[in-house]
């Protein structure tokens, strides 16, 4: 068996070893894959078992390959860093941005979704492209992917 870091993507699918990182053999006694994630109901949730439909997919794939899966719920940015540093094996779910595709190998799409913009109802907002949003203050979270245009 070979150990590789992976990133599971919502809107993309599975990612394999970080680009340029050589896969390392996994000792037979070490048959646990550590999945780092955050709550993103209904796809993945800390409450209950299994931990949502994305976790069911992860469990099935790794269990069929002879691995147990351990989930660690924490902030997304920390999870992404842990996979890159080799302290975790899988991050899921996440979007495959062009920058991430330079670091991870993207798989086929597992789920798809639509990104939307929320705004105050007392502030009319008529837009069709990101250029129409110039002049507005838009909040986001560092380390998240909001599409190529952003």
């Amino acid at each position: 068996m070979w150990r590789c870091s992976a990133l599971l993507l919502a809107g993309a699918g599975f990612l394999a070893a970080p680009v340029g990182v050589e896969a390392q053999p996994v000792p037979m006694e070490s048959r646990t894959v550590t999945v780092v994630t955050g709550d993103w109901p209904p796809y993945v949730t800390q409450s209950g078992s299994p931990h949502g439909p994305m976790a069911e997919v992860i469990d099935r794939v790794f269990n069929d390959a002879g691995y147990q899966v351990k989930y660690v719920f924490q902030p997304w940015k920390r999870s992404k860093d842990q996979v890159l540093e080799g302290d975790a094996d899988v991050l899921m779910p996440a979007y495959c941005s062009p920058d991430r595709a330079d670091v991870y190998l993207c798989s086929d799409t597992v789920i798809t979704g639509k990104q939307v913009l929320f705004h105050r109802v007392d502030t009319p907002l008529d837009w069709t492209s990101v250029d129409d949003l110039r002049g507005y203050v838009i909040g986001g979270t560092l380390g998240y992917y909001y599409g190529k245009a952003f």
Side-chain angles (χ1 to χ4, degrees):
M1 280 292 171
W2 293 94
R3 180 184 184 108
C4 67
S5 298
L7 175 62
L8 178 66
L9 301 178
F14 293 92
L15 292 185
V19 174
V21 173
E22 187 176 325
Q24 300 296 314
V26 175
M28 292 306 281
E29 65 275 4
S30 175
R31 307 285 295 180
T32 300
V33 172
T34 301
V35 176
V36 287
T37 187
D39 274 319
W40 191 28
Y43 305 109
V44 62
T45 179
Q46 190 167 1
S47 60
S49 183
H51 293 292
M54 295 294 291
E56 287 184 68
V57 171
I58 293 285
D59 288 344
R60 184 168 297 150
V61 167
F62 283 109
N63 291 167
D64 286 353
Y67 288 86
Q68 296 297 313
V69 181
K70 172 185 165 191
Y71 291 93
V72 177
F73 286 81
Q74 59 190 20
W76 298 102
K77 174 101 172 73
R78 184 181 314 152
S79 294
K80 189 172 76 170
D81 292 343
Q82 283 186 324
V83 171
L84 282 175
E85 294 164 6
D87 296 328
D89 302 301
V90 176
L91 166 62
M92 70 89 169
Y95 290 97
C96 185
S97 67
D99 289 345
R100 291 177 186 172
D102 286 343
V103 178
Y104 300 98
L105 302 174
C106 298
S107 78
D108 293 337
T109 298
V110 173
I111 62 170
T112 59
K114 183 164 73 169
Q115 293 178 322
V116 298
L117 183 65
F118 292 93
H119 67 91
R120 293 176 51 117
V121 295
D122 61 353
T123 303
L125 183 61
D126 184 23
W127 67 286
T128 54
S129 74
V130 174
D131 287 335
D132 297 335
L133 300 173
R134 292 191 190 283
Y136 290 95
V137 175
I138 299 174
T141 304
L142 292 176
Y144 281 37
Y145 179 67
Y146 295 104
K148 186 176 179 180
F150 278 92

